[in-house]
Amino acid sequence: QYTVSVWVVSNGQQSTNTNGMGNVCPSIPIEVSSEVTKRELTVNWLKTDGHDDPDEYEITINSPQMKKTVGGDKRTVQFTGLTPGKRYDISVVAKVSSPECFSVAAT
């Protein structure tokens, strides 16, 4: 989170400042990969160097939609009970708490 202050200076006079606050979004999860066994799917990812960990990651697979949330320091999650031979699309979302701000990587 950061604060920006703005004021006007004219003819040696300075107005009162106005402050605004903003949030820095987490970087996109990178190098998202998966490992598959008969009924399990393990999803792995990395965070971009030089960025703080997000508050959490939300990992979703479809058909049927399954979602797991893990802490921002985690880089892997496992889904079990899947149907062999079925295609699963994966999304990994890095989230920070307030206001909602997120970055998405998908494979």
Side-chain angles (χ1 to χ4, degrees):
Q1 189 171 40
Y2 60 90
T3 303
V4 175
S5 297
V6 178
W7 58 91
V8 176
V9 177
S10 177
N11 296 325
Q13 300 281 329
Q14 181 175 314
S15 69
T16 56
N17 67 318
T18 299
N19 293 327
M21 297 190 74
N23 287 303
V24 178
C25 293
S27 63
I28 322 175
I30 59 172
E31 296 186 35
V32 176
S33 63
S34 61
E35 299 168 21
V36 180
T37 63
K38 218 171 195 182
R39 299 184 59 81
E40 295 179 351
L41 172 69
T42 302
V43 181
N44 304 293
W45 63 91
L46 299 174
K47 76 175 184 79
T48 306
D49 288 338
H51 291 268
D52 292 337
D53 286 338
D55 295 330
E56 62 187 23
Y57 287 101
E58 182 180 273
I59 304 86
T60 305
I61 62 173
N62 66 337
S63 301
Q65 185 163 341
M66 300 170 78
K67 184 187 309 185
K68 291 192 176 188
T69 302
V70 297
D73 60 334
K74 304 295 184 204
R75 303 290 179 266
T76 188
V77 69
Q78 188 174 59
F79 292 90
T80 59
L82 304 180
T83 304
K86 189 167 193 163
R87 176 191 163 121
Y88 291 93
D89 295 316
I90 305 163
S91 74
V92 180
V93 178
K95 292 185 152 190
V96 293
S97 53
S98 179
E100 178 121 3
C101 180
F102 58 88
S103 298
V104 178
T107 59

